[in-house]
Amino acid sequence: MSEQANMANIAPPLWLLAEVTYRCPLHCVFCYNPVKYAANKKELSTEQWKEVLRQARKLGAAQLGFSGGEPLVRDDLEELIGEAHQLGYYTNLITSGVGLTEARISKMKELGLDHIQLSFQDSTKEMNDFLSSTKTFDLKSRVAALIKKYDYPMVLNVVLHRYNLDHIGRIVDMAVEMGVEYLELANTQYYAWASINREQLMPTREQLVRAEEIVQEYRAKLGNKLKLLFVVPDLFEDKPKACMNGWGSVFLAVAADGSALPCHAAQSLSGLTFPNVTEQLLHDIWYKSDAFNAFRGYEWMKEPCRTCSEKEKDFGGCRCQAYALTGDARNADPVCGKSPSHDVVKQIVLQTKNRPVEEKPLVFRNDMNSLRLAAEVEKQTS
Amino acid sequence: MTDLTSKPKLAKLFRLQYEEAQGAYVLLYPEGMVKLNQPASEILKRCDGERDVNAIVADIEQAFNAQGLEKDVTGFLEIATERGWVV
């Protein structure tokens, strides 16, 4: 196919996720940042980020998420928000709340920030503070009140796992009290730090079923007052998720060091080199790079995906999960009941029944653990 | 049923804007986006909290040079209200 014909088949990106830094005051055990983040502390400058914003907007991105790490650790965040607003983005700040003072929140409102997503780890101070290895519950509660005081729409995000699934009713109550518009109950996806802690974090099926029933009851009771999004934990399913709505289809992430990624977990895939925005134009990265074209369309697929009637619905599931659990990113996501490796997933779920097989300490996301884990991988592969 | 004298306006959570790359109006909201077809965007553009439904219908009929569009407009407004786009 000629390059032009090929480009005509590629839709523009709609979402830009700007992971402006990997620095973070929290140490969450399910963090999705690369396990090896501490080995590379390079960050784009203010000007470089502005250029990324301009180029991505020109390509067609309309939604912009400022994320990290904790984006508030960058003191040029306000400047970037101002630039993004002028370019016409809908700007979302995805934050732990640490560093969100009244002065900053009011300045961001003035500069055109549209929405704030605040994360909590639990409805209880003890669990929130334990899982993030910080004392942040009270601070987060104050930030939630500030977000409402400044009249931002607010999404409350809580990552779910076996330590907090049984608190789900109280978590919803907390969201109602805060007056948030959306509550995202996101069951842990087992990538990066969460995959290291998978055995400890995986809930039982019974916990999940009960939690989902409680969410349904609240949905019926609350109606439009609070939108409840329940992200199902795909390991318990036999249909894969339509990950990223297809590789290189709508989503473009730029990591702290300028690596452009079709998915924020993509750096876990070996064998792909991700282009850097300091070396190439985003236009060329999106339309022409090997990394963004690697899993576009259906040509790359193996059986059973290649001839599957559902390939246009689920795109074969998640590449990172296929790679992590089968060793080949082109395989079907083993969550799929049709995957020859589906047993691997069944085994993982089965293990939750036989707990405690072995209670291990949780591995917190911090520089020390990151450097240690990176060195271990190095040793295994050399 | 839509009250023809009510004055619908876009809910605070949503922003309506034209997107060059998509050649269409979109509704933007926290972490999401809806691409609108032409009739939907023409109606939503007029939901400014000042015009009532009667005025919107008259305006749309003039813009499209057509008659009898009341049902189409109110039908869409009912869906838009249900989805929380307009209040």
Side-chain angles (χ1 to χ4, degrees):
Chain A
M1 207 186 302
S2 77
E3 195 171 85
Q4 263 179 345
N6 188 29
M7 269 179 57
N9 291 329
I10 301 171
L14 303 178
W15 242 108
L16 172 66
L17 184 71
E19 295 184 323
V20 291
T21 180
Y22 282 145
R23 287 175 287 155
C24 187
L26 270 62
H27 309 292
C28 301
V29 294
F30 40 70
C31 180
Y32 74 78
N33 284 165
V35 173
K36 293 194 278 185
Y37 79 90
N40 177 4
K41 296 204 160 170
K42 266 190 274 176
E43 287 183 13
L44 296 185
S45 68
T46 311
E47 277 315 309
Q48 285 172 318
W49 274 118
K50 284 188 179 172
E51 185 56 28
V52 168
L53 298 180
R54 285 192 286 266
Q55 287 187 30
R57 182 72 187 121
K58 214 172 150 202
L59 278 181
Q63 281 282 349
L64 168 66
F66 284 110
S67 178
E70 172 49 65
L72 289 163
V73 305
R74 284 194 62 134
D75 53 18
D76 58 357
L77 185 62
E78 285 83 340
E79 201 178 333
L80 298 178
I81 286 172
E83 176 78 16
H85 178 70
Q86 294 208 335
L87 288 167
Y89 282 106
Y90 188 94
T91 52
N92 306 273
L93 171 63
I94 300 162
T95 178
S96 69
V98 178
L100 199 49
T101 58
E102 182 153 12
R104 292 192 84 178
I105 210 169
S106 116
K107 183 80 187 160
M108 288 175 186
K109 185 85 192 180
E110 201 184 300
L111 289 166
L113 177 65
D114 291 292
H115 150 249
I116 299 177
Q117 183 198 108
L118 179 67
S119 65
F120 262 71
Q121 279 67 39
D122 191 34
S123 58
T124 69
K125 181 178 171 138
E126 292 70 25
M127 193 53 81
N128 178 82
D129 291 358
F130 171 65
L131 290 166
S132 59
S133 192
T134 52
K135 291 192 170 134
T136 50
F137 186 81
D138 294 335
L139 178 147
K140 282 169 178 281
S141 309
R142 287 197 299 276
V143 166
L146 268 182
I147 292 172
K148 290 324 292 182
K149 180 177 167 189
Y150 282 85
D151 204 26
Y152 286 98
M154 175 175 164
V155 172
L156 181 70
N157 175 284
V158 183
V159 175
L160 301 175
H161 40 72
R162 80 151 157 149
Y163 295 105
N164 63 6
L165 262 170
D166 299 335
H167 305 166
I168 203 151
R170 276 184 283 158
I171 292 172
V172 182
D173 289 337
M174 177 173 84
V176 172
E177 273 167 41
M178 285 176 183
V180 309
E181 281 78 13
Y182 298 88
L183 172 59
E184 191 173 287
L185 297 161
N187 276 287
T188 307
Q189 310 270 327
Y190 294 93
Y191 306 104
W193 293 86
S195 83
I196 291 173
N197 291 307
R198 189 181 67 207
E199 278 175 59
Q200 317 303 319
L201 292 175
M202 282 271 288
T204 61
R205 193 178 289 279
E206 290 69 33
Q207 273 187 298
L208 271 172
V209 170
R210 204 166 57 230
E212 221 173 336
E213 281 168 7
I214 295 172
V215 169
Q216 280 304 348
E217 284 166 24
Y218 271 98
R219 275 206 186 108
K221 200 166 77 183
L222 296 169
N224 260 344
K225 196 173 140 199
L226 168 65
K227 288 218 166 99
L228 289 168
L229 312 168
F230 191 76
V231 180
V232 294
D234 61 349
L235 292 177
F236 288 84
E237 309 279 311
D238 58 8
K239 297 245 185 212
K241 59 185 175 237
C243 200
M244 311 319 288
N245 200 36
W247 183 270
S249 127
V250 292
F251 186 87
L252 167 63
V254 177
D257 71 347
S259 301
L261 310 168
C263 149
H264 46 255
Q267 283 168 308
S268 67
L269 296 169
S270 72
L272 281 182
T273 311
F274 294 101
N276 195 290
V277 297
T278 58
E279 290 161 7
Q280 289 181 54
L281 292 172
L282 267 185
H283 177 276
D284 294 347
I285 290 174
W286 181 260
Y287 288 103
K288 298 179 189 167
S289 71
D290 290 343
F292 277 77
N293 281 312
F295 307 114
R296 272 192 176 127
Y298 309 101
E299 284 300 305
W300 58 272
M301 286 179 171
K302 304 210 293 193
E303 292 297 350
C305 296
R306 186 176 268 268
T307 53
C308 182
S309 61
E310 293 180 271
K311 68 180 176 191
E312 287 167 40
K313 240 191 302 183
D314 59 32
F315 316 104
C318 168
R319 296 308 90 227
C320 301
Q321 191 144 268
Y323 176 73
L325 299 181
T326 76
D328 185 345
R330 292 178 305 144
N331 279 336
D333 184 337
V335 160
C336 183
K338 297 175 190 166
S339 157
S341 304
H342 185 58
D343 264 358
V344 177
V345 171
K346 283 212 269 196
Q347 281 303 322
I348 292 171
V349 172
L350 207 61
Q351 279 168 11
T352 64
K353 276 195 172 172
N354 309 326
R355 220 185 254 125
V357 188
E358 188 192 357
E359 285 287 351
K360 287 193 293 193
L362 288 161
V363 180
F364 291 96
R365 175 237 205 247
N366 57 39
D367 286 6
M368 199 185 69
N369 283 332
S370 173
L371 293 169
R372 178 177 60 79
L373 289 160
E376 278 174 18
V377 173
E378 196 81 357
K379 225 190 286 170
Q380 276 166 20
T381 51
S382 66
Chain B
M1 263 318 280
T2 306
D3 172 4
L4 295 176
T5 60
S6 66
K7 295 175 175 174
K9 73 168 194 236
L10 207 59
K12 207 180 68 181
L13 217 51
F14 295 89
R15 194 165 92 201
L16 178 71
Q17 77 183 30
Y18 185 75
E19 280 300 301
E20 200 73 52
Q22 301 183 60
Y25 276 87
V26 299
L27 266 185
L28 294 158
Y29 55 95
E31 298 167 44
M33 172 161 44
V34 184
K35 188 172 170 177
L36 300 166
N37 61 23
Q38 202 206 357
S41 37
E42 290 302 324
I43 297 169
L44 284 179
K45 269 199 278 185
R46 290 166 172 81
C47 293
D48 53 10
E50 286 173 15
R51 278 178 262 213
D52 66 13
V53 177
N54 274 322
I56 294 173
V57 172
D59 222 25
I60 294 273
E61 287 178 342
Q62 200 185 8
F64 283 79
N65 198 14
Q67 293 298 310
L69 295 182
E70 185 183 307
K71 275 219 168 96
D72 296 286
V73 174
T74 57
F76 171 77
L77 283 175
E78 273 160 36
I79 295 167
T81 308
E82 203 180 285
R83 297 193 181 167
W85 298 348
V86 297
V87 289

